Amino acid sequence: DAKANQRGGLRLFNKGFDQVLQQRLQTASELRHSVARSELELHFQPQIALKTSRLVGAEALLRWRRNGELVSPVDFIPAAESSGHIVSIGAWVLEEACRQQLHWQQETGLELTVAVNVSMRQLLDVHFLEMLTGVVQKTGINPKNLELEITETVMMENAETVVDLLAEVRDLGVQIAIDDFGTGYSSLSYLQQLTVDRLKIDRSFVQLVAEQDEARVIAAMIVKMGQLLGFKVLAEGVETSEQLAELKKLGCDEVQGFYYAKPMAADAWLEYVNQLNC
Ligand code: C2E
Ligand code: MG
Ligand code: MG
Ligand code: MG
């Protein structure tokens, strides 16, 4: 009986897995034309310095307008990664983010940073550095106003290559943040070799920071350790005033989350910045 159940379970699993693969292939083939058809857009979510309450920049978050519907990156980044389309999509994202940053500066007089997510396949593409240098030159962005967000998992899976690559990125003057920090498996010796500018505490800890001792201790430790290593520490996914108060107590440098604002389309973002600025 147990065996029969197991077999049934296995079949069910295989079927589900097939469907996931099938869907991914379908998505990938539709994604192929997304750049050429201008179906991609960036939304922006504010990043705020806690001590001064000032806006310091925005994270650029990709959206895909597929048949008029706005698709979230969690639903197409995996397909873009496995098909390789992420390389051209990522190049588009980077250039668009830089152009936007310059546009805000022109319109508001504020020098804000723009943070761009970079995935593993994109970072490990042989032309990545060339592409990055090209975009910085072509757009004329001040590289210190550009930040690349790399997840902890990506860093650890290719530790040596990534350490070298990121050193070159920083030589260009571009900033680096470790995204979703605390969910991967960074070894402390690895952090010792890496020079980054910012750690982003993963939302899973931030969500519990005001209610659970363990989450608070972990967040406190990341803040302390990050700052002692010379990094800024940003908490992502802040949703409540209780979480904010706790993060302030812990001495966290910066915050980002729905408590302040959800990611906004480019024109709404510019309005948001203008409102804060006057
Ligand atoms: P991420 O880089 O960790 O981005 C943060 C995600 O959390 C975003 O989801 C954001 O909308 C969401 N978020 C922000 N504040 C809150 C909050 O207070 N509560 C909750 N529940 N969520 C919050 P989004 O935009 O769906 O992006 C998901 C992930 O997709 C990103 O996670 C990033 O890994 C990836 N992604 C987004 N844009 C790009 C891109 O241009 N390139 C690549 N390679 N990946 C991207
Ligand atoms: Mg991110
Ligand atoms: Mg994150
Ligand atoms: Mg994430």
Side-chain angles (χ1 to χ4, degrees):
D1 213 58
K3 243 184 198 162
N5 272 340
Q6 253 175 19
R7 250 187 254 123
L10 197 65
R11 255 200 304 279
L12 213 70
F13 171 75
N14 278 335
K15 194 173 164 211
F17 193 64
D18 267 0
Q19 272 170 359
V20 169
L21 278 183
Q22 198 57 45
Q23 229 167 40
R24 205 178 262 198
L25 282 173
Q26 175 65 27
T27 304
S29 93
E30 288 178 42
L31 263 178
R32 194 146 52 97
H33 305 289
S34 61
V35 173
R37 292 183 185 154
S38 310
E39 293 173 349
L40 300 178
E41 54 187 84
L42 293 182
H43 286 202
F44 300 96
Q45 189 181 33
Q47 300 182 322
I48 287 114
L50 265 185
K51 263 202 201 117
T52 58
S53 297
R54 290 190 78 92
L55 178 69
V56 289
E59 177 174 5
L61 294 156
L62 185 58
R63 303 290 182 260
W64 177 22
R65 206 167 277 285
R66 180 199 208 180
N67 309 321
E69 195 194 338
L70 214 54
V71 187
S72 148
V74 291
D75 294 324
F76 68 88
I77 293 289
E81 278 253 305
S82 56
S83 62
H85 296 321
I86 192 68
V87 174
S88 54
I89 290 174
W92 179 87
V93 168
L94 196 67
E95 184 168 340
E96 173 69 7
C98 292
R99 293 198 188 288
Q100 285 285 337
Q101 191 280 339
L102 287 160
H103 181 59
W104 311 334
Q105 198 164 317
Q106 211 167 36
E107 294 290 310
T108 68
L110 295 176
E111 208 172 339
L112 302 169
T113 59
V114 68
V116 174
N117 292 284
V118 176
S119 60
M120 167 134 73
R121 177 94 179 242
Q122 198 190 346
L123 187 70
L124 298 181
D125 178 72
V126 286
H127 301 297
F128 180 77
L129 275 176
E130 203 183 309
M131 185 276 291
L132 176 64
T133 314
V135 168
V136 169
Q137 278 170 359
K138 181 158 68 169
T139 59
I141 191 173
N142 184 339
K144 80 172 188 351
N145 296 327
L146 173 64
E147 181 164 271
L148 304 186
E149 294 194 2
I150 324 265
T151 63
E152 197 184 7
T153 325
V154 169
M155 300 222 178
M156 289 306 294
E157 276 172 11
N158 303 277
E160 272 161 49
T161 319
V162 171
V163 167
D164 293 346
L165 250 171
L166 294 187
E168 295 200 59
V169 169
R170 281 189 101 237
D171 283 345
L172 293 173
V174 171
Q175 301 202 54
I176 296 164
I178 306 187
D179 206 354
D180 303 343
F181 190 79
T183 56
Y185 48 102
S186 287
S187 76
L188 297 176
S189 66
Y190 184 55
L191 274 178
Q192 182 186 25
Q193 302 171 55
L194 255 188
T195 9
V196 300
D197 300 279
R198 191 168 271 95
L199 298 183
K200 297 188 76 175
I201 308 177
D202 190 70
R203 192 170 82 211
S204 56
F205 304 114
V206 174
Q207 260 168 350
L208 291 173
V209 76
E211 329 168 358
Q212 195 205 60
D213 288 341
E214 289 82 357
R216 180 167 42 240
V217 168
I218 291 169
M221 187 206 68
I222 297 175
V223 170
K224 247 277 131 36
M225 183 194 65
Q227 289 173 346
L228 286 171
L229 288 169
F231 312 144
K232 287 242 155 88
V233 180
L234 181 148
E236 63 178 353
V238 179
E239 292 182 355
T240 69
S241 56
E242 289 80 11
Q243 292 163 0
L244 185 66
E246 200 54 50
L247 291 160
K248 266 189 188 154
K249 262 198 264 170
L250 299 182
C252 189
D253 299 290
E254 292 155 349
V255 281
Q256 180 185 339
F258 294 172
Y259 178 76
Y260 290 95
K262 291 196 168 172
M264 291 165 262
D267 42 354
W269 162 255
L270 199 56
E271 236 168 78
Y272 176 87
V273 178
N274 270 322
Q275 247 162 27
L276 289 182
N277 202 20
C278 61

